[in-house]
Amino acid sequence: GAADSFDTADTFIMIANIAILAGYALFFVYAGKFRELLSGDDAKAAASMRTAHLLLMVSALLLLLPLPGLIALIFEIVAWFMMLSACGKLMNSTNIPELAATGMKKVRLSMILSLIGGIIAIIPIIGIVGAILSLVAFFINLSGWSKVAKSEI
């Protein structure tokens, strides 16, 4: 019945958030390695991205706990602004290859989708749509970081 569908949705949301948490941990590591390859303002922007990924990990962790989604949303919003700023700086940097800049554009897109997913996730009944959108954002983020990794920095 209806209770079974909510149980299934809750299980899917939990699995999606665990996958997202693992992904953000991976991106946190990538951002640290990326920062080591850069200097000056580019290194500062990459450090900001690393901090933003830490906030996203906290947000994903909070979504696994029986806490209000609003707390997680606050972390996502702060991370979103940090990532938006950092990605904007890096995608327009003249010091990184075009492929890395393209990757930063994808990471930026993923942050926008992640924020939208986070907002939708706090709405009862349709929260699963937010989880799905966040999962899509995760794969776009992965694709963006893949481009950065393949660039010759």
Side-chain angles (χ1 to χ4, degrees):
D4 292 336
S5 66
F6 284 111
D7 291 340
T8 302
D10 290 341
T11 300
F12 176 78
I13 290 169
M14 176 134 339
I15 291 169
N17 283 328
I18 290 170
I20 289 167
L21 177 61
Y24 286 143
L26 182 64
F27 299 138
F28 177 78
V29 172
Y30 285 159
K33 290 180 180 183
F34 187 47
R35 182 190 64 199
E36 292 172 6
L37 299 172
L38 303 172
S39 62
D41 288 340
D42 293 341
K44 288 178 186 175
S48 181
M49 290 178 67
R50 188 169 192 255
T51 302
H53 278 100
L54 179 63
L55 290 174
L56 289 169
M57 289 185 328
V58 171
S59 173
L61 184 62
L62 288 174
L63 289 172
L64 292 173
L65 303 174
L67 296 172
L70 185 59
I71 296 170
L73 179 61
I74 291 168
F75 279 101
E76 283 201 28
I77 291 170
V78 171
W80 183 81
F81 281 110
M82 291 176 73
M83 289 288 290
L84 184 64
S85 175
C87 288
K89 289 175 184 173
L90 290 168
M91 64 189 228
N92 294 316
S93 173
T94 57
N95 300 321
I96 65 172
E98 185 64 30
L99 187 60
T102 301
M104 287 295 101
K105 288 177 186 175
K106 284 189 165 218
V107 171
R108 185 177 185 207
L109 172 63
S110 77
M111 293 313 304
I112 293 168
L113 294 176
S114 180
L115 177 66
I116 294 168
I119 292 169
I120 292 172
I122 64 170
I123 301 171
I125 300 177
I126 65 166
I128 193 166
V129 174
I132 292 169
L133 190 57
S134 293
L135 194 57
V136 169
F138 164 74
F139 285 110
I140 292 172
N141 199 334
L142 184 59
S143 172
W145 276 111
S146 175
K147 287 189 180 300
V148 172
K150 290 177 184 173
S151 69
E152 296 181 17
I153 295 181

